[in-house]
């Protein structure tokens, strides 16, 4: 990140206390240093075919020394698989701690797990196996296998998101939204589709909600927010400037701010009163993060919508009924004419 951008996101005197996602991480336990043994998160580590996509996705958020490690393992998996943590540190001109941190950032419990993935990737490349389209799907898979594998992957993504959600944060976000004068939702790309989904759901139960996928309009609308309003940003990476900037403006205006993100340690959390964390599921070679992140974001959006509908049921139920009635004629079959 450039020095100008860092300065833009720096905390300023007199600001509200940043959300829980901006708090320093908890101290690591003794088992989290060096070559860790597989933990409960090991089952979710990226498979060998997802490693290159994971490196491309995560590299911009890494330090330069971590980038050197990531680029080395992605560029020469066979060679790096033969190296100890010390050997890889020497090869990349970094430290053992940097190698371990990079391994974890790429989704592995420790360097030992990364080495296993590198060995698997090298074996696949040597055997001339069919190229991967996603972490589990190869080019010549029959469509029946594609359906089954995607269904299993999305099911795991939903389960991981549900287990990782902070229920207290969800309840606080729902409470703020249910009593809000106005709700603005920000998102771009795949996250923009999710922001539109949330806004239209809220409109149908009588809430004043707007989705902003244009960053300029998002900022100009955020300027109009005040205490009692809610601004919600959706960004899987936690560092999408087009989403962070309007959230920062809303934060400064006194609105209650919410972030839905896969990276609660990202910049977006600096301006969020409430942080809702989505699953950082295995990346896809075809569309890194886009498919799995959208699935987990939609789950969080549905949780918020149902929570708000519960709290505002007396007004939400008639509003939803009225919207169904208004659209009913559009769902009636029309007689065919010659």
């Amino acid at each position: 990140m450039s020095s100008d951008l860092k300065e833009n996101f720096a905390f300023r005197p007199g600001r509200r206390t940043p959300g829980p996602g901006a708090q320093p991480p908890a101290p690591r336990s003794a088992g989290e240093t060096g070559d860790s043994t597989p933990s409960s998160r090991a089952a979710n580590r990226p498979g060998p075919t997802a490693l290159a996509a994971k490196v491309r996705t995560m590299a911009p958020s890494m330090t330069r020394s971590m980038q050197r490690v990531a680029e080395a393992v992605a560029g020469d998996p066979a060679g790096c698989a033969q190296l100890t943590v010390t050997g890889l540190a020497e090869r990349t001109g970094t430290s053992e701690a940097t190698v371990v941190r990079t391994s974890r950032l790429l989704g592995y419990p420790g360097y030992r797990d990364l080495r296993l993935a590198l060995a698997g990737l090298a074996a696949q490349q040597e055997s001339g196996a069919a190229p991967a389209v996603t972490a589990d799907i190869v080019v010549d898979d029959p469509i029946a296998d594609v359906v089954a594998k995607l269904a299993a992957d999305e099911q795991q993504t939903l389960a991981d998101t549900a287990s990782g959600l902070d229920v207290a944060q969800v309840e606080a976000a729902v409470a703020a939204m249910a009593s809000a004068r106005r709700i603005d939702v920000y998102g771009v790309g795949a996250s923009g589709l999710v922001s539109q989904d949330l806004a239209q759901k809220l409109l149908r139960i009588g809430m004043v909600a707007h989705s902003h996928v244009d960053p300029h309009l998002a900022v100009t609308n955020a300027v109009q927010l005040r205490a009692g309003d809610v601004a919600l940003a959706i960004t899987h990476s936690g560092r999408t400037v087009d989403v962070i900037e309007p959230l920062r403006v809303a934060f400064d205006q006194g609105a209650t701010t919410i972030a839905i993100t896969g990276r609660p340690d990202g910049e977006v959390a600096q301006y969020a009163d409430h942080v809702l964390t989505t699953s950082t599921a295995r990346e896809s070679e075809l569309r890194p993060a886009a498919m799995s992140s959208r699935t987990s974001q939609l789950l969080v959006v549905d949780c918020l919508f149902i929570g708000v509908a519960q709290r505002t049921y007396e007004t939400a139920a008639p509003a939803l009924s009225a919207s169904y009635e208004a659209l009913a004629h559009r769902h009636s079959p029309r007689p065919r004419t010659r």
Side-chain angles (χ1 to χ4, degrees), residues 211-279:
S211 168
H212 299 289
V213 296
D214 182 299
H216 291 182
L217 289 176
V219 171
T220 55
N221 277 271
V223 172
Q224 307 302 321
L225 298 180
R226 60 178 185 268
D229 296 330
V230 167
L232 192 153
I234 305 174
T235 165
H236 177 69
S237 68
R239 51 185 172 81
T240 307
V241 175
D242 288 341
V243 171
I244 296 172
E245 181 62 15
L247 192 73
R248 180 189 65 78
V249 173
F251 186 92
D252 287 342
Q253 293 297 110
T256 299
T257 52
I258 303 167
I260 298 177
T261 179
R263 294 294 303 275
D265 58 341
E267 292 93 337
V268 71
Q270 296 183 9
Y271 304 104
D273 296 307
H274 309 295
V275 179
L276 310 180
T277 306
T278 56
S279 168

Side-chain angles (χ1 to χ4, degrees), residues 30-334:
E32 290 182 308
T33 58
D35 275 349
S36 65
T37 56
S39 65
S40 59
R41 295 177 58 85
N44 296 325
R45 61 179 177 264
T49 57
L51 180 59
K54 187 77 172 179
V55 169
R56 289 194 299 271
T57 301
M58 301 301 297
S61 64
M62 294 179 178
T63 64
R64 184 65 195 111
S65 58
M66 294 174 75
Q67 287 177 354
R68 290 201 298 272
V69 175
E71 290 164 359
V73 298
D76 183 17
C80 292
Q82 303 301 316
L83 299 174
T84 64
V85 63
T86 303
L88 184 55
E90 291 176 350
R91 173 171 172 171
T92 56
T94 61
S95 65
E96 294 181 11
T98 298
V99 172
V100 173
R101 284 197 299 270
T102 305
S103 301
R104 292 195 181 118
L105 190 58
L106 291 175
Y108 302 91
Y111 179 62
R112 182 177 303 161
D113 301 275
L114 175 59
R115 284 185 71 184
L116 290 173
L118 292 174
L121 179 55
Q124 287 182 359
Q125 292 175 342
E126 186 176 347
S127 67
V133 175
T134 72
D136 295 321
I137 301 171
V138 296
V139 168
D140 55 4
D141 268 347
I143 195 64
D145 289 354
V146 171
V147 171
K149 290 178 179 180
L150 284 178
D153 184 68
E154 297 209 359
Q155 183 180 25
Q156 186 62 55
T157 296
L158 293 173
D160 291 345
T161 299
S163 64
L165 269 178
D166 185 332
V167 176
Q169 288 292 298
V170 176
E171 290 179 340
V174 166
M177 294 170 66
S179 61
R181 179 188 69 98
R182 165 180 160 184
I183 301 171
D184 279 14
V185 191
Y186 315 126
V188 295
S191 296
L193 300 176
V194 179
S195 77
Q196 292 172 335
D197 180 74
L198 175 58
Q200 67 89 13
K201 280 185 169 75
L202 294 172
L203 284 170
R204 294 192 69 176
I205 60 172
M207 306 296 294
V208 178
H210 307 279
S211 168
H212 299 289
V213 296
D214 182 299
H216 291 182
L217 289 176
V219 171
T220 55
N221 277 271
V223 172
Q224 307 302 321
L225 298 180
R226 60 178 185 268
D229 296 330
V230 167
L232 192 153
I234 305 174
T235 165
H236 177 69
S237 68
R239 51 185 172 81
T240 307
V241 175
D242 288 341
V243 171
I244 296 172
E245 181 62 15
L247 192 73
R248 180 189 65 78
V249 173
F251 186 92
D252 287 342
Q253 293 297 110
T256 299
T257 52
I258 303 167
I260 298 177
T261 179
R263 294 294 303 275
D265 58 341
E267 292 93 337
V268 71
Q270 296 183 9
Y271 304 104
D273 296 307
H274 309 295
V275 179
L276 310 180
T277 306
T278 56
S279 168
T280 52
R282 292 172 297 174
E283 305 296 332
S284 161
E285 297 279 0
L286 182 62
R287 288 287 305 280
M291 292 189 293
S292 60
S293 66
R294 187 179 66 249
T295 299
S296 55
Q297 289 168 353
L298 286 170
L299 172 61
V300 177
V301 159
D302 282 350
C303 291
L304 293 174
F305 168 70
I306 293 298
V308 172
Q310 288 177 316
R311 285 178 175 253
T312 62
Y313 185 78
E314 290 187 0
T315 56
L320 190 58
S321 178
S323 70
Y324 278 126
E325 186 176 342
L327 296 172
H329 69 284
R330 295 185 174 274
H331 301 290
S332 301
R334 294 182 179 180

